[in-house]
Amino acid sequence: MLVTFDDAYASVAEWAAPLCRQFAVPAVFFVNAAFLDNQRLAPDNLVCYVANVLGMETIKAAVRAVPGRETFQLHSLTDVFGSFFPVISLREREAFLEALRQLAGINESRLANEACLYMTSKQLCNLGSFDFEIGNHTYTHTHFRSLSQQDFVSEVDRNKAELEALLGTKIRSFSQPYGSAEDLTCELAKHLERSGHQAIFLSESVANPRRLDLSHLNRISTCAPSDDALFFEIEVLPRLRAIRNRIFKTPLPFAAA
């Protein structure tokens, strides 16, 4: 078993890492270097904050401010993360986020500093004393399916370089934000291999085969309220999904030419 944590939240250093060491649980921590030291907010956190404080109308207004996306229909946060973010470019996402800051009257740097959601650089370096692996999670936590090669190379390489400079160790693994195989395009997979990433993690809650493919490691996410539900989510459902995929020969998007 391997436990993984995404996004470099401060709670990882404060709670998860000590517990993993106490119970000898192997773990990998996937980090977005852009949010270390709490100088800015991750897009997901900024969107959720505005939605909770000001409501969805402010989110919709920010979407309408993005050139070419004025007619995009949103009804909930699920639409933002599941439909809008996956199809926009980095430039469009930044235009949306800047409009959101302006419409909400947010000083993002001050808000991030007050919230202290993410690890500091010192906390991240201290994770080395727990003998845990640190992995690449892109620089600003983004989908890849709609990015240009220049943009996805920048997201991958900049994050890897900054983490390696900070930690003094090689970054060998990569976790795709949001965990969908749709974002693991053929071009991205090739670049990850060329840039020295030896393992690629997704999060589609499907059982991995006995002969592991390190370029396509699936993880299971769970919010189970009980031991019985946890057993079902970890041991039963992933195997059923794997059987379904074999029967219907569900293709992996990144494998398609």
Side-chain angles (χ1 to χ4, degrees), residues 36-54:
L36 291 174
D37 299 314
N38 295 288
Q39 298 302 304
R40 57 188 288 194
L41 291 171
D44 296 19
N45 298 124
L46 177 58
V47 169
C48 288
Y49 174 81
V50 173
N52 288 333
V53 174
L54 298 174

Side-chain angles (χ1 to χ4, degrees), residues 32-244:
N32 310 105
F35 312 122
L36 291 174
D37 299 314
N38 295 288
Q39 298 302 304
R40 57 188 288 194
L41 291 171
D44 296 19
N45 298 124
L46 177 58
V47 169
C48 288
Y49 174 81
V50 173
N52 288 333
V53 174
L54 298 174
M56 279 300 298
E57 289 306 314
T58 305
I59 307 295
K60 294 176 183 179
V63 171
R64 290 194 295 270
V66 180
R69 302 291 180 177
E70 297 89 348
T71 60
F72 203 100
Q73 296 297 310
L74 295 176
H75 303 287
S76 66
L77 287 179
T78 299
D79 292 333
V80 176
F81 301 126
S83 300
F84 181 61
F85 273 6
V87 301
I88 59 177
S89 67
L90 286 183
R91 181 175 297 180
E92 288 174 322
R93 188 181 67 165
E94 186 49 45
F96 163 72
L97 295 175
E98 181 56 29
L100 200 60
R101 298 180 193 104
Q102 295 294 328
L103 290 166
I106 288 175
N107 182 322
E108 184 180 2
S109 179
R110 184 175 65 190
L111 187 62
N113 186 258
E114 291 173 353
C116 289
L117 289 176
Y118 318 112
M119 282 189 280
T120 64
S121 296
K122 182 178 180 181
Q123 284 177 312
L124 181 64
C125 291
N126 288 341
L127 286 182
S129 64
F130 292 85
D131 196 29
F132 296 147
E133 181 99 3
I134 305 299
N136 191 343
H137 198 42
T138 75
Y139 189 66
T140 64
H141 200 270
T142 182
H143 289 278
F144 276 136
R145 69 191 73 170
S146 299
L147 299 193
S148 67
Q149 182 166 349
Q150 180 180 356
D151 281 345
F152 76 64
V153 167
S154 174
E155 280 283 322
V156 169
D157 291 1
R158 181 177 182 181
N159 202 54
K160 187 174 190 290
E162 291 198 12
L163 292 177
E164 289 179 344
L166 179 63
L167 298 167
T169 59
K170 288 292 184 184
I171 299 298
R172 306 183 301 165
S173 55
F174 175 84
S175 165
Q176 174 59 53
Y178 308 101
S180 173
E182 289 189 55
D183 289 300
L184 186 57
T185 63
C186 183
E187 292 78 11
L188 173 60
K190 289 177 180 177
H191 178 71
L192 289 170
E193 182 179 2
R194 286 194 301 267
S195 55
H197 294 86
Q198 300 171 24
I200 302 173
F201 291 80
L202 301 172
S203 300
E204 297 193 321
S205 293
V206 175
N208 288 301
R210 290 183 180 274
R211 292 187 178 182
L212 287 179
D213 177 3
L214 294 181
S215 67
H216 192 276
L217 292 169
N218 245 307
R219 300 178 293 170
I220 298 165
S221 300
T222 178
C223 296
S226 66
D227 288 348
D228 289 343
L230 180 64
F231 176 83
F232 192 72
E233 288 188 8
I234 291 178
E235 295 290 346
V236 180
L237 283 178
R239 288 177 168 82
L240 292 177
R241 294 187 188 105
I243 293 170
R244 174 204 61 193

